[in-house]
Amino acid sequence: MKKLLLIMIIMLTLLLAGCQWFHYPVSTTTTLLNNSPATTTSSSTTTSTTTTTTLPRAPAPIFSITGGEYESPVQISLSTVVSDATIRFTLDGTDPVGGNGIVYTNQLIRLSEPRNTINARTYKAGMSVSDLATNEYIITSAVYEPTFNVPSGFYESGQKIIFETLTVDAEINYSINNGASIKYSGPFDMPFGIPTRITAVASKNGVVSPTISNLYWTATEEGCIIFYDKGFYSDGWRYLETIPNDRIPCPHGWQITRIPWGGKGIYIGANNSSMGGGRLNTSIIVNTLGEGKYAAKLCYDLVYGGHDDWYLPNRNEVKALYHNLYEYGYSDLCKFGYWTSEEYNADKAYYNHFIKYYYTEDWERNEDKNSDYFGAWPVRQF
């Protein structure tokens, strides 16, 4: 037993002594940044390197004609020295980055305004976007369009209209509601009481500027606003007017903005869609349904501006409200859906939205007559 223990002690001693005969290296990892030299702490070193790859920049687009002053309009083409590249350009002074701008497709770009700026960049896979290339072209023979001193909009009182153009000695001509051309000779009064479109153009030496047009609405003496002019009197009326939007609080205000059409389950026969026909529809609805809280009755009972002959407009009259008032920003406070006086069937009636995204010209929008989600916008004829 003692001999066996002695042998084990001797073997353990030899094993421990043998470990000193070998050298095990320490592995060290070094990251190289900015090409700095690596520092090692042992005879055997494992090194990893972090590198940053910079894409080459695409060359800027080339203009066929350089910027400068030109007597007559010019036509510009764009190109690049790299193949399979895309050029984007703008004409409004903005930078063609981030999807902005027009994709160039080898078309000629005609420049005829007095002052024209083209900004362009080249895009190519595997390359970074090019530097901005820009050129400005001044067409000395071009005529600047007239400017209005009064912007489009609604006005409670009359305004003086004044035209100006940056082109010296240019002549300005204008028309009112597509009437005869009038030579501008100084400030004039905006026509009052009816929607008025004023169109103006400047000219010099046979060169004509772009045409500019503004639309104005003014209040009548009773505080109403005319939104449609038939152009002649027939059946006792020529104009359609409505109540200014600040007199019709938006949802969830006055009762006229959230009201059912009424009469679900009853086909009334309110289907007159001609301009002015909403009045007949309203009478038919009220005579059929009698007393109650519904769209046609609220309009029928309304007294405003000294008038008591208001009615619920039909589809085409609502369309005129949208195009002649709302679309030009006048009714921007009332982005809402409105009933018409026309029914779709016994259970549903037509409506439309005064939100551009939802507005539709095909008039396929109809809803349950008992829904109180929509409003009613009263109109009258005279």
Side-chain angles (χ1 to χ4, degrees):
M1 187 69 180
K2 290 183 179 180
K3 288 182 178 181
L4 179 60
L5 181 60
L6 180 61
I7 292 172
M8 292 178 64
I9 292 173
I10 293 172
M11 291 178 65
L12 179 61
T13 302
L14 291 174
L15 179 62
L16 292 175
C19 290
Q20 313 246 348
W21 298 346
F22 299 98
H23 172 69
Y24 295 94
V26 178
S27 176
T28 303
T29 300
T30 304
T31 301
L32 298 179
L33 298 176
N34 301 324
N35 298 320
S36 299
T39 302
T40 63
T41 58
S42 67
S43 61
S44 177
T45 304
T46 301
T47 304
S48 66
T49 304
T50 300
T51 60
T52 301
T53 302
T54 301
L55 294 175
R57 187 175 295 279
I62 301 169
F63 291 70
S64 61
I65 301 176
T66 58
E69 291 190 0
Y70 296 88
E71 183 178 353
S72 58
V74 295
Q75 296 189 111
I76 308 297
S77 63
L78 302 175
S79 61
T80 178
V81 296
V82 292
S83 60
D84 300 324
T86 298
I87 296 175
R88 283 185 173 271
F89 71 96
T90 63
L91 299 173
D92 59 3
T94 59
D95 194 339
V97 293
N100 182 43
I102 305 166
V103 175
Y104 182 70
T105 56
N106 298 320
Q107 71 269 38
L108 289 175
I109 306 170
R110 188 174 190 275
L111 305 176
S112 59
E113 299 291 318
R115 187 177 296 274
N116 311 265
T117 300
I118 301 182
N119 290 329
R121 289 184 186 269
T122 303
Y123 293 81
K124 180 176 173 59
M127 306 181 79
S128 61
V129 62
S130 76
D131 291 327
L132 179 67
T134 183
N135 270 305
E136 184 178 67
Y137 302 85
I138 298 174
I139 311 302
T140 57
S141 63
V143 177
Y144 283 92
E145 63 195 36
T147 58
F148 288 73
N149 67 314
V150 180
S152 294
F154 174 74
Y155 295 89
E156 296 279 358
S157 59
Q159 304 288 318
K160 289 283 187 182
I161 303 297
I162 300 173
F163 295 124
E164 291 183 341
T165 177
L166 294 176
T167 301
V168 178
D169 297 329
E171 179 179 294
I172 298 176
N173 287 271
Y174 67 96
S175 64
I176 298 175
N177 289 336
N178 298 318
S181 178
I182 304 170
K183 182 178 179 180
Y184 177 69
S185 58
F188 62 94
D189 293 322
M190 174 197 303
F192 200 70
I194 62 173
T196 301
R197 181 178 294 280
I198 300 179
T199 302
V201 64
S203 61
K204 181 178 180 181
N205 298 329
V207 179
V208 180
S209 76
T211 299
I212 188 169
S213 180
N214 277 3
L215 184 63
Y216 303 101
W217 310 272
T218 55
T220 63
E221 292 181 359
E222 297 86 1
C224 303
I225 180 170
I226 298 172
F227 68 93
Y228 177 75
D229 179 4
K230 186 166 55 175
F232 55 89
Y233 282 94
S234 63
D235 300 323
W237 70 278
R238 171 176 174 173
Y239 302 104
L240 294 179
E241 67 179 354
T242 189
I243 298 174
N245 63 345
D246 59 353
R247 311 298 198 274
I248 305 181
C250 295
H252 306 268
W254 195 31
Q255 58 185 350
I256 208 165
T257 61
R258 296 189 75 89
I259 191 75
W261 199 91
K264 181 177 180 179
I266 304 172
Y267 183 72
I268 298 172
N271 52 22
N272 191 315
S273 60
S274 63
M275 294 301 292
R279 183 174 184 178
L280 177 59
N281 289 341
T282 300
S283 296
I284 294 173
I285 297 169
V286 173
N287 289 335
T288 302
L289 300 183
E291 295 299 321
K293 182 180 178 181
Y294 54 93
K297 188 70 163 70
L298 280 176
C299 294
Y300 184 83
D301 289 342
L302 178 66
V303 177
Y304 181 83
H307 305 293
D308 61 0
D309 54 354
W310 298 94
Y311 63 86
L312 184 65
N314 63 21
R315 290 187 288 174
N316 282 313
E317 291 164 338
V318 170
K319 184 184 293 187
L321 280 168
Y322 179 86
H323 287 301
N324 297 341
L325 293 182
Y326 177 82
E327 196 171 45
Y328 284 91
Y330 171 71
S331 303
D332 216 26
L333 295 178
C334 281
K335 295 180 177 179
F336 197 51
Y338 291 95
W339 288 116
T340 77
S341 58
E342 292 183 64
E343 58 187 337
Y344 179 73
N345 57 28
D347 296 323
K348 295 183 177 182
Y350 288 104
Y351 76 94
N352 216 331
H353 255 291
F354 275 29
I355 301 178
K356 194 163 189 178
Y357 179 79
Y358 295 109
Y359 177 80
T360 175
E361 289 283 348
D362 59 18
W363 290 103
E364 290 303 317
R365 296 193 183 281
N366 54 78
E367 185 56 75
D368 189 304
K369 289 181 178 180
N370 286 346
S371 171
D372 64 353
Y373 182 73
F374 306 113
W377 197 311
V379 304
R380 67 177 293 271
Q381 53 189 231
F382 68 97

